[in-house]
């Protein structure tokens, strides 16, 4: 009997451990620091070895040390995404831990998850005891320091730091945290981030030194491609400034606070100059060794000045910080025909070089950065425009690790000056890849290595342009948050990386910068006197990106937060359209950078008239507004904006639809937008799709720009022209996605023809080789080639529907949804069998569409399935969680 009971116990134990709860997140981030949301949200992933498994209840516990501040009890329901906190009021500057367990639909209770933590920031501006301090503005980066004593055992110490400019904080000679470019790039006068750090283990009993090294950064660099003599910097103050405090809690319960105030001192050190565009100059001989350690002699330093900047615009960092994710080693040392010594890293990346070198006293090393070599094999920097992108290192005769600290570069190649060829050892060089620390989400792979390279290029361009904001390019005198680029790429971005917090932070600035009339600025943060606002496709980021995030992550908070901004933009367009509901006024970028050939071909057009793009986006944003209002329970707004959407579509048909079903503009983008935004009556959709297909067939390539490209393959696939979508994918001549791959591109280009087949580079002032917009094709690779998409917000219900095409024998993708890993992998065997292997996460369901002829024998895990729905060339199954293999013979 005892053996039987023991066996039962073992089985129960094994079953319990098969239900594993992990990947705990607060506000969609892992272990965030600086939370000031009074009701933060909790999310987790559960893994189970059972089929058709789901959560029926959960229980959450939150701890402040040993004290339990929330015990939710058993919460019935399947929700495991963004569950709101409902415990005791959270306290400022506190480290909390939490855990969760779940019950599944088989009645099994999981073990408690491992504990995760989050740190709260300062809930009220009055809790800032520190004063703003500043040093006179010079080219050199200031150092600021303060010593303090600790005489008791420390239980917890938290540092809160921000700056006008950029900062690196240190304690007792060691860098605090692993982030760079803090406090980030925001609309500083309305939204200045501070960072929260746990520095408990860095505090020493006895004497301590708190150090701050500052630089101009975005706040005080000349931002924007305009004449510096005309441009007025985008800030209120005139000096670099810092604000910081360390809250120390002792074991006996008492507290101390170390603050920035007039007792701090400043000087300068090794960084002689640092700006975003021009780069950084560092003199090793000017370094003040030990300046941020206790006992340093600062008698020759000057006193800082306290200033009154206030605290009202301060907000905690509510997204991931910029970090060094990896290092890339050089591939080759090249001596160019011009005699330049150039190092090739083999990958266009964003970050900075790292050089380990001793050198002679006074030896000056200059490192320039470039994305490409020109047609002659020489170092090419014309496309950087006025940006110098130059690191200058001055040696002092001692071993040094040189690396730019307060700027970043976009480069594959570096030109080294000031070192002889025999001094250059490739082992002494590496490239630090830096971008916002967003967790990977998805991967895609197929049987064509060129397409795999395209996917890699998309990933690298996203990383390179996600340096605290979604920028257009990372190398030239721009690096700005263009709303149009961010909007067209957002769907692909959510597949590649966990972007909820990243975009949410940026959207707050979008709303803050919005004009009184509702116009959304072309770039966010906005650079005054540079560009305008209210342009089609660009301003629609206000509606499209929040809805994209909601569908990807299933959290309504982003809709709630952005609702007013979304509404202002749609109302702005309504006012311009007037009673006719026809928006056809104003200047717009339109289908930016569409491919243009000399002349037109037999009645086809390439350039799409802006009013057509305007009307399609107007209807789409009104539709998003209606759906958002419905999700948030605002029925009056839902009805109103649904009506506006209908009127906008009717106006489109009156103005731009001919009796024969053609559009007044016979362009690819016109038909794409009309179809993807459902502007046409059902009875003419097929004719419109046929005209699009005819246009693609005639040209033999796409002619689309920023607005049409993200949707062209989707529209072709959904309307029965999947073969043309694949033809566009596999085209490797200009214009196409694979043409840059044939030209050794390792990132996405800004222009279809950024480089010509003979390797000449058009002498154009706007030609980036790292520009993710055309990488929006990635969305189609995930959703249609591999076949993973969400039917319900957050992938609560998933559709797995691959669209195989001629030229591929297999394709596979994985996506970490809010509920766990979803996967789809199909292959065509040598004998013609089609095999589809899928993974459906715990707590979700899937509609699985298997390509098959009507009446075909489809097996599921080896069992013949003849009783299934058949629709449009697919055998359709509904299934719960688990791993399954479908096969069509």
């Amino acid at each position: 009997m005892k053996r039987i009971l023991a066996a039962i116990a073992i089985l129960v134990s094994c079953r319990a451990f098969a239900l594993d709860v992990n990947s705990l997140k607060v506000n969609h981030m892992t272990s965030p620091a600086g939370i000031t949301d009074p009701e933060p949200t909790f999310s987790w992933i559960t893994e189970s070895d059972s089929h058709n498994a789901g959560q029926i209840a959960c229980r959450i516990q939150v701890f402040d040390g040993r004290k339990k501040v929330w015990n939710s009890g058993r919460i019935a329901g399947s929700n495991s995404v963004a569950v709101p906190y409902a415990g005791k009021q959270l306290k400022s500057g506190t480290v909390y831990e939490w855990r969760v367990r779940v019950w599944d639909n088989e009645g099994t209770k999981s073990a408690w998850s491992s504990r995760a933590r989050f740190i709260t920031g300062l809930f009220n501006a009055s809790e800032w005891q520190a004063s703003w301090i500043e040093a006179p503005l010079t080219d050199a980066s200031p150092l600021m320091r303060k010593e303090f004593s600790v005489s008791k055992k420390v239980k917890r110490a938290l540092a809160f730091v921000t700056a006008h400019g950029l900062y690196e904080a240190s304690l007792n000679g060691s860098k605090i945290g692993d982030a760079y470019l803090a406090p980030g790039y925001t609309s500083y006068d309305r939204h200045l981030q501070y960072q929260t750090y746990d520095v408990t283990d860095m505090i020493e009993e006895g004497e301590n030194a708190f150090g701050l090294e500052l630089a101009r950064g975005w706040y005080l660099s000349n931002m924007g491609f305009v004449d510096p003599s005309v441009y007025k910097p985008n800030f209120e103050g005139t000096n670099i400034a810092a604000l910081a405090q360390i809250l120390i809690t002792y074991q006996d319960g008492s507290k101390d606070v170390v603050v920035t105030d007039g007792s701090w001192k400043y000087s300068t050190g090794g960084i002689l100059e640092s700006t975003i565009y021009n780069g950084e100059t560092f003199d090793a001989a000017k370094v003040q060794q030990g300046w941020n350690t206790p006992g340093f002699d600062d008698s020759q330093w000057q006193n800082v000045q306290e200033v009154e900047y206030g605290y009202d615009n301060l907000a905690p960092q509510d997204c991931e910080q910029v970090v060094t994710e990896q290092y890339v080693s050089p591939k080759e040392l090249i001596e160019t025909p011009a005699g330049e010594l150039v190092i090739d890293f083999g990958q266009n990346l964003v970050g900075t070089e790292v050089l380990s070198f001793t050198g002679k006293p006074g030896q000056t090393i200059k490192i320039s950065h470039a994305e490409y070599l020109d047609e002659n094999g020489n170092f090419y920097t014309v496309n950087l425009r006025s940006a110098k992108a130059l690191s200058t290192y001055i040696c002092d005769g001692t071993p040094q690790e040189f690396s730019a600290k307060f700027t970043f570069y976009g480069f594959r190649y570096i030109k080294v000056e000031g070192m002889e060829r025999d001094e250059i050892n490739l082992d002494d060089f590496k490239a630090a890849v830096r971008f916002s620390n967003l967790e990977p989400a998805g991967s895609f792979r197929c049987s064509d290595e060129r397409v795999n390279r395209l996917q890699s290029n998309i990933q690298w361009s996203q990383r390179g342009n996600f340096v605290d904001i979604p920028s257009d390019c990372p190398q030239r005198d721009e690096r700005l948050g263009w709303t149009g680029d961010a909007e067209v790429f957002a769907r692909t971005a959510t597949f590649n990386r966990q972007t909820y917090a990243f975009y949410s932070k940026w959207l707050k600035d979008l709303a803050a910068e919005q004009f009184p009339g509702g116009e959304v600025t072309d770039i966010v943060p906005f650079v005054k006197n540079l560009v305008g606002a209210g342009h089609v496709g660009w301003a629609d980021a206000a509606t499209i990106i929040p809805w994209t995030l909601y569908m990807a992550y299933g959290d309504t908070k982003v809709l709630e937060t952005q609702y007013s901004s979304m509404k202002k933009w749609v109302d702005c367009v309504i006012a311009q359209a007037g009673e006719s509901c026809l928006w056809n006024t104003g200047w717009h970028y339109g289908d930016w950078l569409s491919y243009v050939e000399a002349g037109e071909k037999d009645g086809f057009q390439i350039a799409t008239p802006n009013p057509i793009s305007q009307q399609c986006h107007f209807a789409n944003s009104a539709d998003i507004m209606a759906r958002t209002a419905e999700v948030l329970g605002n029925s009056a707004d839902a009805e109103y904006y649904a009506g506006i959407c209908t009127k906008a579509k009717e106006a489109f048909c009156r103005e731009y639809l001919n009796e024969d079903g053609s559009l007044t503009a016979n362009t690819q983008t016109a038909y794409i937008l009309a179809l993807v935004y459902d502007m046409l009556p059902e009875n003419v959709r097929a004719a419109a799709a046929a005209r699009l297909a005819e246009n693609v067939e005639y040209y033999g390539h796409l002619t689309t720009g920023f607005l049409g490209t993200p949707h062209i393959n989707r529209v072709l696939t959904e309307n029965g022209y999947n073969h043309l979508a694949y033809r566009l994918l596999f085209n490797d001549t200009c214009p196409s996605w694979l043409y840059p791959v044939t030209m050794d591109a390792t990132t996405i280009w800004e222009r279809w023809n950024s480089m010509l087949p003979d390797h000449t580079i058009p002498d154009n002032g706007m030609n980036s080789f790292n520009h993710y917009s055309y990488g929006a094709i990635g969305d189609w690779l995930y959703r249609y080639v591999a076949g993973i998409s969400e039917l319900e917000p957050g992938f609560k219900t998933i559709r797995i529907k691959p669209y195989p095409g001629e030229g591929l024998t297999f394709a596979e993708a994985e996506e970490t949804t809010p509920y766990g890993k979803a996967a789809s992998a199909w292959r065509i065997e040598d004998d013609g069998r089609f095999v589809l292997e899928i993974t459906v996460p715990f707590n979700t369901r899937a509609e699985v569409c298997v390509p098959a002829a009507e009446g075909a024998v489809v097996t599921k895990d080896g069992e013949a399935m003849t009783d299934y729905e058949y629709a449009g060339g697919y055998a359709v199954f509904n299934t719960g969680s688990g791993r399954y293999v479908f096969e069509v013979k």
Side-chain angles (χ1 to χ4, degrees), residues 667-669 671-673 675-676 685-698 700-704 708-730 737 777 780 784 803-804 874:
T667 71
Q668 291 180 12
T669 292
Y671 286 107
I672 290 165
L673 296 181
L675 289 163
V676 78
R685 285 183 61 85
R691 290 179 183 277
L692 170 63
E694 182 185 5
N695 188 304
V696 171
E697 290 267 22
Y698 194 89
H701 57 72
L702 45 69
T703 62
T704 52
T709 300
H711 309 295
I712 184 169
N713 274 23
R714 170 189 173 184
V715 169
L716 289 170
T717 294
E718 289 184 346
N719 288 277
Y721 298 96
N722 191 51
H723 64 289
L724 286 183
Y726 272 87
R727 190 180 302 175
L728 292 180
L729 174 67
F730 290 129
W737 292 288
I777 184 63
W780 180 76
Y784 295 90
Y803 286 82
Y874 286 86

Side-chain angles (χ1 to χ4, degrees), residues 289-300:
Q289 298 292 343
W291 72 272
N292 52 2
T293 60
F296 175 80
D297 181 7
D298 62 7
S299 59
Q300 301 302 309

